[in-house]
């Protein structure tokens, strides 16, 4: 057994392969910054998915390297704490693989050289610890322990065998018969849940029921959390309001998705998504999950508050001039429009699987497409106003000139929420376009696209910093003019002629003017903004 190297090797699979054929890595795996996309497959319960193609290996936090299955399983049973995922990794045939502890245990049980009594004792100790560490404790602790067994050990057996369960119950002082029945029934219930999730023909009602089951167990068994989130995503795909919310909040990733599609069978050739839009995407998906969870957990007002915070844009019947100009010059924008039209055609086609299989899914998808079309129009209209500002109409009244100019800012806020988020989206897209090497299919368009985005970003910066200029000389001249204006009253203590009795209001106004002039001189007038020196 060797401890973690510092820092983690850049080429982790190659480094692990150099440790020997019987080397295993025990590693904590951080959660993904970006939740899985709606089209991605179901997570494998008990695995982190870090060995899948395209996984982000920077999520690995290496704990130690072990030798052989027996030592690896022993260390996993001792180190696994239930709060975060500990993966068991090896390299076989040059490919990174992830193993479940149950897989290691099953291999050891088939090995004649294995001390079976020692192995079952280790498993029994771990199972008992799952019971005692459960937050709910007491009888419900056996529910958590049985769930954890299914998540991690089902490759060995579906529920703890008597050689594992018996000693655990004796240590806890539990009556064997009712506790055994509880453990076995819980394990069978969780196994049934996992088998149901593999079916593709699930209704929304069935998914909601399974989500409630998984969600109730995640507090004690975090290994079920990815499955609960995946079920929530599947429910959201069949909920029209959730898809409309997604359409509003998700950034435009057309360039990134097109690169992924074109790369095809060559993983790793797509440039990584920029940080800015990846952050926006994460925020969007977490918000959609929060809405879906609130809606189906009975917190209806909380769900409605989220919808009210992000109004759904109406679908436009005609394309505005600024949006047309932007799409004419931006390859990505035109690709986004074409992709949306293709998706709509595929969804409503006569031979569409979704058309026949799930009315909720079809309704939610068409709701998404309509809202996304409106959202794309808002984005393209706002960016077109920045890149190709329209001249002021000739017959426009002067009072309406600033009103017309403010429409660009209003459109940007409608499309992105804030001017800051608009700037972040543009910065991210520029960074993505300029990453090297540029994919072959967009080498002829990247230069023009990045130039257009840069010019638009600069126009946005000018818009956000277009405040009233600070002209110190002008302020100084106006102050001097006020100071040298002839005064009708002298300073206190000087001889002041009496004012006529009939001009009391006039005298009061003159005194006010004189006081204001003195306040200007001292910089203490409450009606005049302070001048920073």
């Amino acid at each position: 057994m060797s401890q973690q190297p510092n820092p983690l090797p850049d080429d982790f699979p190659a480094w692990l392969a150099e440790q020997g054929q019987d080397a295993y890595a025990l590693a904590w795996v951080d959660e993904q910054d970006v939740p899985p996309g709606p089209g991605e497959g179901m997570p494998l319960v008990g695995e982190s998915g870090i060995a899948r193609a395209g996984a982000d290996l920077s999520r690995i936090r290496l704990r130690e390297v072990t030798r052989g299955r027996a030592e690896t399983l022993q260390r996993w049973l001792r180190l696994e704490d239930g709060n975060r995922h500990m993966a068991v990794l090896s390299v076989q045939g040059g490919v990174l693989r992830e193993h479940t502890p149950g897989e290691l245990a099953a291999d050891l049980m088939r090995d004649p050289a294995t001390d079976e009594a020692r192995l079952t004792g280790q498993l029994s100790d771990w199972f008992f610890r799952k019971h005692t560490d459960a937050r709910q404790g007491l009888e419900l602790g056996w529910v958590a322990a049985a769930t954890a067994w299914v998540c991690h050990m089902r490759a060995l057996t579906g529920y703890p065998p008597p050689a594992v369960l018996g000693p655990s119950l004796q240590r806890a002082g539990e009556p064997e018969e009712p506790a055994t029945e509880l453990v076995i029934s819980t394990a069978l219930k969780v196994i049934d849940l996992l088998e149901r999730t593999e079916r593709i023909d699930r209704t929304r009602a069935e998914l909601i029921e399974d989500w409630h089951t998984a969600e109730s167990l995640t507090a004690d068994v975090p290994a079920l959390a990815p499955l609960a989130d995946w079920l929530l995503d599947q429910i959201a795909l069949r909920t029209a309001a959730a898809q409309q919310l997604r359409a509003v909040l998700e950034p435009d990733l057309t360039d990134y998705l097109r690169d992924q599609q074109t790369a095809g069978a060559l993983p790793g050739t797509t440039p990584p998504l920029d940080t800015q839009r990846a952050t926006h995407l994460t925020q969007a998906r977490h918000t959609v999950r929060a809405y879906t969870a609130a809606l189906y957990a009975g917190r209806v007002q909380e769900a409605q508050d989220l919808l009210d915070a992000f109004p759904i844009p109406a679908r436009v019947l005609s394309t505005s001039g600024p949006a047309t100009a932007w799409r004419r010059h931006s390859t990505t924008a035109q690709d986004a429009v074409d992709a949306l039209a293709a998706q709509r055609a595929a969804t409503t086609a006569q031979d569409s699987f979704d058309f026949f299989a799930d009315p909720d899914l079809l309704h939610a998808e068409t709701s998404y497409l309509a809202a996304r079309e409106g959202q794309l129009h808002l984005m393209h209209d706002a960016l077109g106003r920045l890149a190709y500002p329209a001249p002021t109409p000739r017959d426009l009244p002067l009072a309406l000139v600033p009103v017309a100019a403010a429409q660009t800012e209003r459109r940007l806020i409608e499309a992105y929420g804030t001017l800051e988020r608009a700037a972040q989206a543009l910065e991210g897209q520029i960074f993505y376009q300029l990453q090297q090497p540029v994919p072959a299919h967009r080498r002829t368009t990247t230069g023009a696209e990045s130039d257009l985005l840069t010019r638009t970003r600069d126009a946005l910066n000018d818009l956000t910093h277009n405040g009233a200029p600070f002209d110190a000389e002008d302020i100084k001249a106006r102050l001097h003019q006020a100071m040298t204006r002839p005064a009708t009253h002298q300073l206190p203590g000087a001889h002041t002629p009496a004012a006529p009795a009939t001009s009391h209001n006039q005298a009061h106004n003159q005194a006010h003017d004189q006081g204001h002039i003195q306040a200007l001189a001292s910089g203490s007038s409450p009606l005049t903004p302070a001048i920073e020196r």
Side-chain angles (χ1 to χ4, degrees), residues 73 161 207 221 278 312 324 353 393-394 465 519 524 526:
L73 179 60
L207 291 168
V221 188
I312 308 303
T324 300
F353 175 78
R394 185 182 60 184
H465 294 91
S524 61

Side-chain angles (χ1 to χ4, degrees), residues 303-496:
Q304 186 60 46
D305 289 344
L306 280 170
L307 291 183
D308 292 341
F310 302 99
I312 308 303
R315 180 183 175 187
V316 294
L317 300 179
S318 60
T319 306
S320 66
T324 300
W326 181 258
R327 293 171 186 177
R328 184 167 59 247
H329 293 88
S330 170
T331 304
T332 300
Q334 189 56 51
D335 285 347
V337 175
D338 294 342
L340 196 67
Q343 189 176 355
R344 184 188 300 279
T347 299
T348 57
Q350 290 287 336
D351 58 347
S352 171
F353 175 78
D354 295 337
F355 185 87
F356 295 102
D358 194 334
D360 288 334
L361 188 64
L362 176 63
H363 176 55
E365 187 168 355
T366 53
S367 298
Y368 166 82
L369 293 172
R372 191 61 177 174
E373 182 178 347
Q375 182 66 17
L376 280 180
H377 183 267
L378 285 177
M379 292 180 182
H380 296 167
D381 182 86
L383 296 174
R385 290 172 185 271
L386 277 174
Y388 306 101
T392 303
R394 185 182 60 184
D395 298 328
L396 188 68
L398 291 179
L400 292 181
V401 172
V403 176
Q407 297 309 300
T408 297
E409 183 173 342
R410 181 177 71 86
R411 278 298 199 178
L412 282 163
I413 292 175
E414 284 180 341
Y416 293 96
T418 64
L419 298 182
E420 181 183 7
R421 284 180 66 86
Q424 291 169 353
L426 285 170
E427 290 282 0
Q429 197 169 353
I430 292 169
F431 177 84
Y432 180 82
Q433 289 281 328
L434 295 179
Q435 288 182 99
Q436 299 295 329
V438 177
H441 66 276
R442 59 177 174 88
R443 286 174 184 167
T444 59
T445 60
T446 293
E449 185 83 5
S450 58
D451 290 345
L452 174 61
L453 292 168
T454 302
R455 189 172 77 248
T456 306
R457 179 201 57 191
D458 294 342
L460 176 58
N461 290 337
D462 292 341
L463 178 67
T464 54
H465 294 91
N466 188 19
F470 180 82
D471 191 340
E473 293 300 323
D474 179 65
I475 295 174
K476 186 176 180 181
R478 292 170 64 184
L479 181 60
H480 178 72
Q481 181 181 9
M483 291 290 294
T484 56
R485 183 185 302 163
T488 57
H489 287 71
Q490 298 179 0
L491 295 174
H495 175 71
T496 303

